[in-house]
Every structure is written in C-alpha cells, then in structure tokens.
C-alpha cells in the first residue's frame, strides 16, 4: 500500500467509528466528501427486498431529487450500482451515452462526473455509495481507493446493523416482559399463561407479538 493510500486508510478508520445505523450511514457519506478526491456530494442508496430504492444520508438536499430521477428513469450510476453492478464510473457525464435522460438532469444540476460503489449485500437489503462531482474528469483513478472505502464502510455498516438488531431484540423482550406483567396482574394468571394469552392474541389477530405487548403496556399506563 503506497503512502497516500495508507493515509486514506487511516483517515477512514478514524472517520467510520461504530455507531447506530443512521449515524453510521451519515458518517460514510461525510467521510466520502472529506476523504475521496473530487467528491462534491455523496449519498447512499438502499435497495430493499421488495426492490424499492431509497436514499439515505445525502450530504446535499439536491441529491434526494437526483437519486429519485435515477430510480424513476432506471438510469445512472446510482441506479446501476444499487441494482446490478459493483462499481460504475462516469468521469464525463456530458460525453457518456449510457444514460441520456438522466444525464440532462444531472448536467442541469451542475454534476459533471459521477460514480457508484457497492457497499454491502445482505438478506434484507443491499446498498451503494453514490459520489457526485462538479469537475469533469473526476473519479478516473478512484479504483483502489474505492475498494478500500467500500471495505471499511461495509465493516462499519455490518457492526451498526448488529447493534441495531441487538437493541431492537432487547427492547422487544422488555416490552413483552412488561406486557406479561400487566396481563398477570389484570387477569390473575401465571407468567406462563399470561405469555400464552398474548401469543394467542398475536396469532388470532395476525399482529406481531411486540405490537400486542405495546398495546397492553400503553393501556396500563393510560389506565
């Protein structure tokens, strides 16, 4: 690893500290603008299991519109990276014939070069980092640094998702435990029978157990 790449790697490791998922995505786009050469703006596209594309952590509000145009037109580096390709670069959008409809929109917004980098591929969703530049010729030599950034970002996202899942599991367990206590007191049931009562309600109403639990806890607080 050359000295410049090593510097970027150390900077990335410092920037992408673990946190919850939302803050981690924001750190990634902020780090992209700060660390990667010629990046003017950045966002992250998440593709959900139902195929829906959604933009997260844009560093500029204009990216919500630019990303949305790519989703609607099914054109552009943002769309291609989120749906198929691992790495897409256009160093000069004005001379690139691949996305004629989207290119008009991008040029009107002052974007002259764009890149998409695949970040993660999971069961529930996959995602890509979208890089935008006002400079023609940007991202021509991004390759090695893009791979390094993708690796570092994927680690941070994986950790954040684990933390998020764990926190949700703990919160759900707490809610269900509180609801069991409410049912035990209200109907004079044992803990086992109180849990079975909630589980049966969940099944009969086709509602997740944690939602049933929230109803009972909220009802007890209101009462």
């Amino acid at each position: 690893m050359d000295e410049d790449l090593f510097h970027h790697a150390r900077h990335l490791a410092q920037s992408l500290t673990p946190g919850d998922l939302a803050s981690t995505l924001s750190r990634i786009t902020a780090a992209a603008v700060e660390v990667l050469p010629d990046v003017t703006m950045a966002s992250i596209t998440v593709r959900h299991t139902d195929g829906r594309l959604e933009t997260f952590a844009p560093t500029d509000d204009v990216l919500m519109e630019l990303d949305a145009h790519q989703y609607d037109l099914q054109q552009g580096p943002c769309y291609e990276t989120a749906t198929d390709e691992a790495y897409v670069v256009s160093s000069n959008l004005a001379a690139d014939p691949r996305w004629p409809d989207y290119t008009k929109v991008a040029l009107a917004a002052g974007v002259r070069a764009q890149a998409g980098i695949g970040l993660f591929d999971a069961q529930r969703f996959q995602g890509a980092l979208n890089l935008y530049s006002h400079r023609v010729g940007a991202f021509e030599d991004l390759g090695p640094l893009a791979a390094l950034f993708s690796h570092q970002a994927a680690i941070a996202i994986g950790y954040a998702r684990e933390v998020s899942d764990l926190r949700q599991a703990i919160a759900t367990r707490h809610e269900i435990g509180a609801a069991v206590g409410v049912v035990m007191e209200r109907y004079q049931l044992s803990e086992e029978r109180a849990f079975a009562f909630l589980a049966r309600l969940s099944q009969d109403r086709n509602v997740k157990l944690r939602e049933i639990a929230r109803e009972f806890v909220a009802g007890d607080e209101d009462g």
Side-chain angles (χ1 to χ4, degrees):
M1 182 182 293
D2 61 36
E3 185 175 345
D4 188 49
L5 201 56
F6 176 79
H7 170 74
H8 285 306
R10 185 173 61 182
H11 195 161
L12 279 172
Q14 293 171 345
S15 300
L16 301 182
T17 53
D20 60 49
L21 188 55
S23 64
T24 296
L25 296 182
S26 294
R27 286 192 186 106
I28 289 170
T29 53
V33 173
E34 183 180 357
V35 174
L36 298 178
D38 297 319
V39 176
T40 307
M41 305 175 289
S43 67
I44 288 174
T45 295
V46 169
R47 183 185 183 188
H48 299 278
T49 52
D50 60 3
R52 179 171 50 91
L53 299 176
E54 187 175 5
T55 294
F56 288 87
T59 60
D60 192 297
D61 290 341
V62 72
L63 296 186
M64 296 299 293
E65 184 177 350
L66 284 177
D67 289 0
H69 277 298
Q70 290 173 87
Y71 307 155
D72 293 341
L73 295 169
Q74 298 186 1
Q75 291 184 9
C78 170
Y79 176 79
E80 289 196 6
T81 312
T83 58
D84 187 34
E85 301 294 332
Y87 183 57
V88 177
V89 174
S90 178
S91 295
N92 185 359
L93 281 172
D96 196 324
R98 286 178 287 179
W99 317 291
D101 295 327
Y102 167 66
T103 294
K104 295 176 185 176
V105 177
L107 294 177
V111 175
R112 297 294 179 264
Q114 195 172 330
I117 304 171
L119 284 183
F120 54 95
D121 192 350
Q123 281 187 331
R124 288 182 298 171
F125 45 64
Q126 64 187 56
L129 175 67
N130 311 308
L131 307 177
Y132 298 82
S133 179
H134 291 158
R135 188 181 77 82
V136 173
F139 311 139
E140 287 180 348
D141 302 317
L142 189 60
L145 191 54
L148 173 65
F149 194 96
S150 177
H151 176 70
Q152 293 272 15
I155 292 174
I157 289 170
Y159 180 88
R161 286 179 56 227
E162 288 180 8
V163 170
S164 178
D165 290 345
L166 179 60
R167 286 176 177 168
Q168 183 176 351
I170 292 172
T172 298
R173 187 170 59 187
H174 175 76
E175 288 170 345
I176 292 173
V180 166
V182 171
V183 173
M184 288 173 64
E185 183 177 355
R186 184 177 300 176
Y187 301 113
Q188 299 300 303
L189 297 176
S190 67
E191 182 177 358
E192 183 177 350
R193 292 187 65 188
F195 181 83
F197 172 79
L198 292 171
R200 188 169 64 251
L201 273 181
S202 171
Q203 185 175 5
D204 291 346
R205 292 170 52 184
N206 194 27
V207 176
K208 291 182 178 180
L209 183 58
R210 66 172 179 266
E211 299 298 331
I212 296 292
R214 285 173 187 166
E215 287 182 18
F216 271 88
V217 173
D220 186 63
E221 289 174 351
D222 293 339

